[in-house]
Amino acid sequence: MTMAQLTISKQTARRFILGRQGLWPGRRWSGEQGLDTALRTSEAIQMDPLNVIARSHDIALWGRVSGYQPAMLHRAAYERRQFFDYGGSLFIYPMSELPYWRTPMRYRRSQGRWADFASANPTLLDETRAELASRGPLGNRDFKGGARVQNYRGRKDSALALYYLWITGEAMIAYRQGFERVYDLTERVAPAEYHFEASEDEAAAYFARKTLAFRGLVEERRWGTHLASSIQLSKLDRAVSLRQLAALTEQQAVATVRIEKSHEPWLVLSADLADLSTLEAGGVPAAWRPVGPTTEQEITLLAPLEIVSARSRSNWLFDFEYLWEVYKPAATRRWGYYTLPILYGDRLVARLDPRLDRTASTLIINGYWPEPNAIADTAAYREALAGGLIRFGQFLGARRINLDALSPAAEWAPLARQVNATLDSGHALA
């Protein structure tokens, strides 16, 4: 059997996808330098403004980086300029990718709704460019007056103009105030070494590799869809996507594997075959060694927009249904407003709905729903759950946890006492 014909179990696939993202077998990065490595290894982290307990991207990075705090991301992106945030679906990317992103940015200037917007509003865009050049960095609040508009991207024409300049690459986010964007011209934000555009062939090859690196494993028949998603285009010509796959194959940069009980061939980077083989043999890649407890020793809560579980990926990968119900009417929610999956070992075993009372420094668990299996009923799991809740509470700055909504109360009382004893003491977990 050749490496390209490797057959793996679903458990191996699950562990590989989790491990490729730095979520299993535990956090393997720590501190500011670890954050940089985590962001580059993960390829992209989706951002979201909603802050019920913490923002989705901060929860995602908390699950990867020991000691993570949101201020670390702000320093990395907006002070050290190592990363930038971009896209209609907002992701944070390494700044070194900017030359490749200039190609899809240019596409948006020449076709589609934003090209139409530019054609219809040349004076508005010229005025906005001039304001940024003379007064930047500027946020939308810095533009007075302007026509009111009805658009998802803003309520004033100045907001749409700023968004156009950003989505097409003329401007970048210089920094954020809270989560509000403050823009400046790209040449004043990006480091000088990135003031060029990669060739179309270079960009195509880069995003083809990135598509596989980000998702870990991709069904061959869905390759074009995922490649289009990687560059944030609604669709990609099939011939173009097949040419990119053929180029990767010719370079022996991609291989196909089989996953048990799946009739489809799956694509993986050839560089990752060794890790897949190690996992299939029951081992763990040496580079994945955790810096702290494993996910069997301490659960991790997954972010709502986590790539391993969002958009129904959890259904196939974990046999676990996950719905982020924050935008659904309360009466139609099955679980809760901000429900998060619980990762224990390499499985999703339960979900909980947390809320942070910042005034009382209390993490409130509004609901908890275990999967119908024995894993979530063991003493080892309860210990891992307690450890994970302590670490999550400390990340949020909580001094107490409230489990009063869970029943039977007598069964949850010991765990609440254990968690609160540590949170009250202020003792930090290693």
Side-chain angles (χ1 to χ4, degrees):
M1 178 185 294
T2 66
M3 292 296 285
Q5 298 171 322
L6 180 67
T7 297
I8 61 174
S9 67
K10 190 171 179 179
Q11 181 184 60
T12 293
R14 183 167 59 245
R15 288 181 170 182
F16 173 70
I17 289 171
L18 284 166
R20 192 71 173 73
Q21 282 293 319
L23 290 164
W24 182 89
R27 296 173 181 83
R28 61 177 183 264
W29 303 297
S30 62
E32 305 264 354
Q33 184 174 352
L35 171 64
D36 283 17
T37 304
L39 284 166
R40 297 179 198 283
T41 303
S42 299
E43 298 289 340
I45 295 290
Q46 188 166 359
M47 303 180 76
D48 189 80
L50 196 62
N51 192 4
V52 175
I53 46 172
R55 294 188 171 95
S56 181
H57 51 279
D58 289 322
I59 298 172
L61 292 168
W62 166 81
R64 289 164 169 79
V65 182
S66 181
Y68 173 78
Q69 287 294 325
M72 295 165 60
L73 179 60
H74 190 279
R75 289 192 290 271
Y78 308 123
E79 295 177 17
R80 293 190 283 111
R81 301 295 184 198
Q82 294 298 300
F83 304 92
F84 70 101
D85 40 323
Y86 175 75
S89 294
L90 185 64
F91 283 84
I92 187 159
Y93 301 109
M95 184 66 77
S96 57
E97 291 188 357
L98 180 60
Y100 305 101
W101 278 104
R102 288 181 189 270
T103 297
M105 289 171 176
R106 177 165 48 81
Y107 291 165
R108 289 186 167 94
R109 291 197 295 274
S110 62
Q111 56 188 277
R113 57 178 172 169
W114 291 110
D116 294 340
F117 175 83
S119 296
N121 297 278
T123 302
L124 171 65
L125 290 175
D126 285 344
E127 291 174 350
T128 306
R129 290 185 186 100
E131 286 291 290
L132 281 178
S134 62
R135 298 197 296 126
L138 298 173
N140 185 46
R141 294 174 185 268
D142 297 309
F143 289 79
K144 307 303 180 184
R148 303 291 291 181
V149 296
Q150 294 291 327
N151 191 286
Y152 173 73
R153 300 300 180 185
R155 298 180 180 178
K156 295 193 299 184
D157 60 358
S158 58
L160 297 188
L162 287 168
Y163 188 89
Y164 169 85
L165 296 177
W166 173 69
I167 203 71
T168 60
E170 292 187 57
M172 295 183 75
I173 297 175
Y175 58 91
R176 288 180 179 270
Q177 293 178 325
F179 202 73
E180 291 189 23
R181 309 172 193 212
V182 179
Y183 300 89
D184 206 349
L185 299 176
T186 294
E187 58 264 29
R188 296 203 294 230
V189 175
E193 60 263 39
Y194 304 125
H195 288 187
F196 70 96
E197 180 178 337
S199 71
E200 293 236 359
D201 287 345
E202 289 171 332
Y206 189 88
F207 288 118
R209 183 214 65 85
K210 187 178 181 68
T211 297
L212 282 172
F214 180 47
R215 298 188 71 88
L217 290 161
V218 169
E219 288 173 283
E220 189 172 58
R221 66 184 175 87
R222 299 189 64 192
W223 160 253
T225 300
H226 292 312
L227 180 57
S229 177
S230 288
I231 54 179
Q232 301 216 23
L233 296 179
S234 58
K235 61 181 179 179
L236 196 64
D237 183 86
R238 178 172 170 77
V240 172
S241 66
L242 290 178
R243 280 200 301 271
Q244 296 313 313
L245 181 56
L248 286 176
T249 303
E250 184 178 348
Q251 298 160 14
Q252 297 186 328
V254 65
T256 58
V257 299
R258 295 283 178 177
I259 301 175
E260 289 178 351
K261 299 183 180 180
S262 173
H263 300 296
E264 302 288 337
W266 291 73
L267 302 174
V268 65
L269 290 176
S270 297
D272 288 331
L273 283 172
D275 286 345
L276 274 176
S277 295
T278 296
L279 291 166
E280 184 64 16
V284 177
W288 293 9
R289 185 170 65 180
V291 297
T294 69
T295 52
E296 286 191 353
Q297 296 166 328
E298 182 182 292
I299 64 95
T300 295
L301 296 171
L302 296 189
L305 298 176
E306 177 60 65
I307 182 59
V308 306
S309 51
R311 299 182 181 88
S312 300
R313 202 178 190 198
S314 65
N315 293 358
W316 170 78
L317 193 59
F318 298 95
D319 298 312
F320 180 94
E321 184 179 7
Y322 176 62
L323 299 172
W324 194 32
E325 300 180 292
V326 69
Y327 296 114
K328 294 178 67 174
T332 65
R333 293 179 193 136
R334 291 179 59 187
W335 294 296
Y337 181 68
Y338 206 83
T339 306
L340 304 179
I342 295 176
L343 177 67
Y344 176 55
D346 63 5
R347 302 300 302 266
L348 297 184
V349 301
R351 52 185 67 72
L352 58 77
D353 179 28
R355 179 173 66 86
L356 181 62
D357 183 338
R358 292 176 172 85
T359 302
S361 300
T362 299
L363 175 60
I364 301 169
I365 307 302
N366 295 316
Y368 173 86
W369 301 268
E371 288 291 273
N373 58 51
I375 294 175
D377 295 330
T378 66
Y381 169 74
R382 287 294 180 114
E383 190 67 24
L385 178 61
L389 289 175
I390 290 169
R391 190 178 297 274
F392 194 56
Q394 291 176 335
F395 164 64
L396 300 174
R399 297 300 302 271
R400 285 189 55 77
I401 188 169
N402 185 324
L403 302 178
D404 291 349
L406 308 188
S407 62
E411 291 187 11
W412 286 100
L415 187 142
R417 287 195 294 270
Q418 180 182 355
V419 172
N420 283 326
T422 303
L423 292 178
D424 287 343
S425 72
H427 175 70
L429 294 175

